[in-house]
Amino acid sequence: MKRLAVYCGSATPADPRYMELAREVGATLAAEGIGVVYGGGRLGLMGAVAGSALLKGGEVIGVIPEALVSAEVANYDCDLTIVSDMHERKAAFTRMADGFLILPGGVGTMDELWEAVSWAQLGYHAKPIGVLNAFGFYDHLLAFNRHMAEVGFVRTQHTGLIMSEHELDLLLERMRAHEPVHPIFKMRSDEL
């Protein structure tokens, strides 16, 4: 994994553990020679990941839509690409990264996570998707994902698409060992 798309919040929660986590992730990725592809802003967790990676000499590529350049305080310290909209932004993340690392975040982070999962199921990419479930932040989301599989809305061969760990080193290890799944685009009608 040369680069990971890091999806996380642009907000700064009151609990300081989240910002510290983001700084640790940025520093760790830089130390391991893994570039960061992220939302291109200076604020919140995303800004902390990028700033920490840059301080450690890591590669940081920001992708930000024109409309958010001023709203998210665009980070011109990184290799910044300004795109026309969110669709182009997410396509760029997928194109430039070798996998997806999801930290705590809100609605935008959920949008990015579920698109990465959906595209992997379909076969638009075969990249690892790792959820860093720090502080149990994603416990309910992971339980809901299991529920969708139990009911039958997630195919058996796709239940392992979301890898989750509480520790970054364990998650990166699993992501490096990722084996692509059999995507929907390659399934016969009787497999669907």
Side-chain angles (χ1 to χ4, degrees):
M1 294 185 303
K2 294 179 183 175
R3 291 182 185 147
L4 288 177
V6 180
Y7 296 154
C8 58
S10 61
T12 302
D15 185 337
R17 297 181 303 169
Y18 292 100
M19 290 295 282
E20 183 56 34
L21 172 72
R23 286 189 285 272
E24 288 173 14
V25 167
T28 299
L29 293 178
E32 295 203 17
I34 300 171
V36 171
V37 181
Y38 88 113
R42 290 186 182 275
L43 303 178
L45 272 67
M46 73 161 60
V49 169
S52 183
L54 286 168
L55 280 174
K56 296 291 183 180
E59 176 190 37
V60 178
I61 300 169
V63 183
I64 191 167
E66 291 173 19
L68 294 177
V69 169
S70 59
E72 290 196 28
V73 189
N75 185 357
Y76 293 100
D77 293 335
C78 68
D79 180 3
L80 188 67
T81 299
I82 300 172
V83 295
S84 60
D85 58 33
M86 295 297 283
H87 296 292
E88 192 177 341
R89 179 193 215 184
K90 291 185 290 183
F93 289 148
T94 302
R95 187 176 57 254
M96 288 192 268
D98 301 312
F100 306 90
L101 176 60
I102 293 83
L103 307 183
V107 173
T109 305
M110 295 302 94
D111 174 50
E112 293 162 339
L113 165 63
W114 290 118
E115 182 166 285
V117 172
S118 176
W119 286 19
Q121 287 178 346
L122 292 169
Y124 284 114
H125 74 78
K127 302 172 183 185
I129 303 163
V131 171
L132 185 56
N133 189 20
F135 324 119
F137 184 81
Y138 284 116
D139 285 351
H140 296 292
L141 179 135
L142 296 167
F144 180 67
N145 191 55
R146 284 189 300 275
H147 175 67
M148 287 190 296
E150 290 164 2
V151 171
F153 287 112
V154 176
R155 289 168 181 81
T156 303
Q157 56 268 57
H158 298 149
T159 57
L161 278 174
I162 298 176
M163 293 175 252
S164 175
E165 295 288 344
H166 296 281
E167 303 286 333
L168 180 61
D169 58 340
L170 297 174
L171 184 57
L172 292 175
E173 185 178 318
R174 286 186 62 196
M175 291 176 73
R176 285 184 182 105
H178 168 71
E179 294 288 332
V181 300
H182 189 59
I184 291 171
F185 289 159
K186 292 186 178 179
M187 291 179 179
R188 298 181 320 268
S189 61
D190 64 336
E191 295 176 296
L192 298 171

